[in-house]
Amino acid sequence: MTPKKLQTLLLEDSEDDALLILRVLKKGGYQPSYQIVETKEAFCSALERQSWDVILSDFSMPTFNALQALQILQQKELDIPFIVISGAIGEDVAVECMRSGAHDYLIKGNLARLVPAIDRELREAKVRQQNRLALQALKESEIKYKKLYHNAPVMYLTLNLKGEITEVNQTALEKLNSKKENLIGKDFFSLFTAKTQEKLMLSYPNLLEKGYISGEGQLNSQNQTIDVIYTLNLEYSLQQPSIVRLTCLDISELKRLQQQLVHSDRLASLGRLAAGISHEINQPLACISMSAEILLSKLNSFSPPPIFQEELQDILKQVDRINRIIQNIKTFSRDFGHSFPSPVNINQILHSSLQLVRHDMEKNNIEFCLELQENIPTIKGDICLLEQVFVNLLLNAKDALEEKNPPRKQIYIRTFCQNQNIFVKIKDNGIGIERENLEKIFDPFYTTKEVGVGTGLGLAISYGIITELHGRIECQSQKGEWTQFTITLPLNCEKSTKTSV
Ligand SMILES: Nc1ncnc2c1ncn2[C@@H]1O[C@H](COP(=O)(O)OP(=O)(O)OP(=O)(O)O)[C@@H](O)[C@H]1O
Ligand SMILES: [Mg+2]
């Protein structure tokens, strides 16, 4: 049998004893390559220079001993089989050595156990090394799993069988805008809106039967709701149901785009219809207007009762109003005339829009608070059309403030640039909008104003202009408290090719 190589570090001050030990090792089938040290410094530099299979140490040397050597090994977190071989060793010293981490101790006069002890310790050290590697691999895979778990684009929540949350991933915390300690122990039902809770109640019994349920619903997140597709999966341990995994995928953006698509589609067909009608009305309207003008001019020669003049003037006023409506319908049907998109500064457009409505605002004691980002980047747009949007929003805010008449009527305007988008927020503390009406306000001809006051086209036109610039216009409101419109315009927005209907 070929001798087994053994890197041996000998802590020994007697050369004779060291040679004796080496002889025993060779006889036992080892081929030791060794170094003999007897001081702390020599021991440390030997440890640093190379790795060792075994350390065989005398208990006490002139300036160093086995206990100090063991302490150094511990500090350096080195797991090397350490066997104390001493001349005479008391039981208490032997116990102390073992407690300090020695693997065995032998008497110099009796080295029969040395080789079997080294065999055993090498085997055990190998097992310990394998365990350490397995533990390390486990830790690494745990870290990997945690990263995947927390950074997944879906919300993961773990529930116990009572439906209480026991674990939650980072994505869920962010989406729900909550802290982990506020969610742990909470009943998962309460995360959902009342409507989704009802739906869940009905399907929940299926979870035990089928092992999973899924559906579409809404989660509550502070002041807003999130549309999600949820799945509840029952997991087993020792063939018994143990936990439930709740997975929620946020589909809010998808839903918003879907609604926008439906809305744009509806607007486009209504636009075509409106454009057709306005074209038909224009002709007879021009006739009515001309006839009324002729009659008015001839009236003086008859000296008729005043009512004739009053009624004719009223006809002309109404014709004027119809003309304005037709103009609005034309704009709405995307007949924007000749518009030339060029780099524009949104802050400047807001200032000029404010000038246009200044008189109305002052009359109503409306205060403005402007927070416009300095040096805001320009975007490509049409000044007149964007002015039209802002004037629409400002006049709506004025009407809402007049209707509520709060002690301080305020309009707050903010602009800022974020993530390659320009944001414009216009907020008033007026009458607000009912939740169910929020979906209707961008519909053409939707108005809550008295007949003759509003045409219900202001927001529909604004919506058309902003989407034409590849932007978004959204509204949030608290009935009776406030309304906020948010316009988002991409920095690289280019007006799309004009499509007149
Ligand atoms: N800031 C606001 N506060 C409260 N309600 C608002 C606000 N802005 C819009 N609305 C609601 O949305 C409706 C539609 O607004 P829109 O501007 O399209 O039409 P309008 O103002 O009624 O008429 P006009 O065509 O003259 O603008 C309004 O009638 C009102 O009910
Ligand atoms: Mg309006």
Side-chain angles (χ1 to χ4, degrees):
M1 212 172 67
T2 45
K4 291 171 273 177
K5 289 201 161 83
L6 189 70
Q7 303 281 0
T8 313
L9 182 57
L10 280 157
L11 268 165
E12 184 57 77
D13 58 331
S14 152
E15 202 183 333
D16 285 350
D17 288 351
L19 292 174
L20 178 71
I21 292 168
L22 289 168
R23 235 189 342 262
V24 174
L25 290 180
K26 280 180 192 152
K27 250 174 109 182
Y30 283 108
Q31 186 191 10
S33 43
Y34 62 92
Q35 188 185 348
I36 305 170
V37 293
E38 59 175 298
T39 62
K40 182 180 171 187
E41 293 69 30
F43 178 63
C44 288
S45 65
L47 289 178
E48 243 137 63
R49 201 181 48 247
Q50 68 167 87
S51 62
W52 299 98
D53 296 323
V54 67
I55 299 171
L56 304 174
S57 171
D58 193 357
F59 178 72
S60 145
M61 286 144 285
T63 60
F64 196 40
N65 67 32
L67 293 177
Q68 289 168 321
L70 282 165
Q71 210 177 7
I72 291 170
L73 284 184
Q74 257 173 20
Q75 280 164 1
K76 291 185 183 286
E77 292 182 3
L78 288 171
D79 179 17
I80 306 170
F82 191 102
I83 296 172
V84 181
I85 306 171
S86 185
I89 191 166
E91 205 171 307
D92 47 343
V93 176
V95 169
E96 201 183 344
C97 285
M98 299 301 276
R99 267 207 200 122
S100 305
H103 295 94
D104 209 340
Y105 69 91
L106 302 170
I107 307 290
K108 278 187 179 164
N110 180 8
L111 292 180
R113 273 200 315 111
L114 179 60
V115 170
I118 292 177
D119 287 345
R120 183 196 68 226
E121 286 311 319
L122 288 180
R123 266 195 318 271
E124 287 186 7
K126 200 170 165 191
V127 171
R128 283 199 301 275
Q129 169 73 356
Q130 280 167 348
N131 284 349
R132 263 198 307 274
L133 288 176
L135 205 71
Q136 178 71 15
L138 197 72
K139 268 190 193 152
E140 278 168 14
S141 96
E142 209 171 289
I143 290 170
K144 229 188 262 172
Y145 164 77
K146 272 198 175 150
K147 253 194 196 159
L148 277 174
Y149 176 77
H150 284 295
N151 299 339
V154 286
M155 296 172 241
Y156 285 130
L157 294 106
T158 311
L159 319 173
N160 62 20
L161 294 179
K162 284 192 271 175
E164 292 161 348
I165 299 166
T166 57
E167 185 56 63
V168 53
N169 77 342
Q170 195 56 33
T171 313
L173 292 179
E174 280 162 20
K175 295 265 180 200
L176 296 169
N177 218 331
S178 186
K179 289 205 171 105
K180 191 171 174 180
E181 56 267 33
N182 297 338
L183 289 177
I184 300 296
K186 208 171 165 180
D187 183 354
F188 88 97
F189 269 94
S190 64
L191 298 179
F192 290 92
T193 57
K195 214 163 143 192
T196 309
Q197 284 185 28
E198 270 175 36
K199 198 167 147 187
L200 272 168
M201 289 278 193
L202 289 176
S203 59
Y204 202 61
N206 287 342
L207 182 62
L208 281 176
E209 216 175 277
K210 286 203 240 159
Y212 81 93
I213 51 173
S214 66
E216 218 180 290
Q218 283 190 316
L219 284 170
N220 284 316
S221 166
Q222 295 222 319
N223 292 333
Q224 53 175 10
T225 53
I226 310 173
D227 292 299
V228 291
I229 291 178
Y230 61 79
T231 322
L232 283 152
N233 274 300
L234 196 57
E235 287 193 8
Y236 292 80
S237 163
L238 302 173
Q239 295 181 334
Q240 289 295 317
S242 61
I243 54 164
V244 179
R245 279 208 195 280
L246 167 62
T247 313
C248 295
L249 177 66
D250 184 351
I251 53 162
S252 306
E253 185 61 10
L254 219 80
K255 283 232 146 186
R256 197 189 60 73
L257 287 174
Q258 196 185 24
Q259 271 168 12
Q260 193 176 332
L261 220 68
V262 171
H263 190 79
S264 308
D265 220 34
R266 232 174 37 213
L267 284 190
S269 41
L270 263 161
R272 275 192 292 274
L273 183 74
I277 292 174
S278 70
H279 181 76
E280 291 299 317
I281 290 175
N282 250 340
Q283 208 69 23
L285 203 63
C287 289
I288 295 172
S289 169
M290 210 157 62
S291 306
E293 300 264 10
I294 293 171
L295 283 177
L296 249 180
S297 66
K298 304 266 177 204
L299 269 188
N300 291 342
S301 43
F302 291 101
S303 55
I307 182 137
F308 275 62
Q309 184 150 18
E310 279 165 30
E311 290 298 321
L312 278 171
Q313 256 154 4
D314 207 29
I315 288 175
L316 284 172
K317 227 162 86 191
Q318 295 306 326
V319 167
D320 212 40
R321 186 170 137 65
I322 296 173
N323 265 328
R324 256 186 293 126
I325 295 176
I326 289 176
Q327 208 46 49
N328 274 348
I329 291 175
K330 275 192 173 160
T331 318
F332 166 64
S333 55
R334 302 194 176 193
D335 191 359
F336 291 141
H338 300 288
S339 70
F340 300 101
S342 54
V344 295
N345 180 313
I346 218 80
N347 289 349
Q348 276 170 11
I349 301 182
L350 273 163
H351 276 299
S352 57
S353 310
L354 281 167
Q355 280 304 315
L356 291 173
V357 296
R358 197 170 52 110
H359 180 67
D360 263 339
M361 299 295 173
E362 278 171 4
K363 215 170 62 189
N364 286 286
N365 292 326
I366 293 173
E367 297 169 32
F368 280 97
C369 173
L370 301 189
E371 206 182 301
L372 311 182
Q373 184 187 309
E374 273 180 43
N375 303 324
I376 200 154
T378 54
I379 51 159
K380 262 199 164 180
D382 183 293
I383 295 179
C384 291
L385 295 178
L386 283 168
E387 242 172 30
Q388 194 176 348
V389 172
F390 297 140
V391 167
N392 275 335
L393 297 183
L394 291 168
L395 291 179
N396 282 349
K398 182 210 74 171
D399 291 343
L401 285 165
E402 250 184 280
E403 201 178 334
K404 179 173 155 192
N405 199 18
R408 283 182 73 177
K409 299 181 195 148
Q410 290 169 312
I411 298 181
Y412 176 70
I413 305 176
R414 198 173 153 222
T415 60
F416 58 96
C417 181
Q418 202 175 63
N419 302 334
Q420 295 297 303
N421 283 306
I422 299 269
F423 289 83
V424 182
K425 287 181 182 274
I426 299 183
K427 186 173 182 178
D428 65 73
N429 60 331
I431 191 76
I433 303 169
E434 298 263 18
R435 207 187 163 95
E436 61 260 37
N437 291 340
L438 274 175
E439 316 178 340
K440 301 184 204 155
I441 57 171
F442 294 105
D443 286 348
F445 307 111
Y446 171 80
T447 180
T448 52
K449 292 169 192 169
E450 280 171 33
V451 183
V453 176
T455 57
L457 280 173
L459 287 179
I461 291 171
S462 306
Y463 185 95
I465 293 172
I466 297 298
T467 39
E468 186 107 342
L469 289 170
H470 305 294
R472 263 156 58 179
I473 175 164
E474 285 155 319
C475 178
Q476 286 174 311
S477 183
Q478 183 84 48
K479 175 75 189 153
E481 302 287 335
W482 52 264
T483 302
Q484 175 170 270
F485 282 88
T486 305
I487 293 175
T488 317
L489 289 164
L491 272 187
N492 55 355
C493 74
E494 296 259 355
K495 191 174 173 292
S496 60
T497 333
K498 193 157 68 75
T499 43
S500 300
V501 190

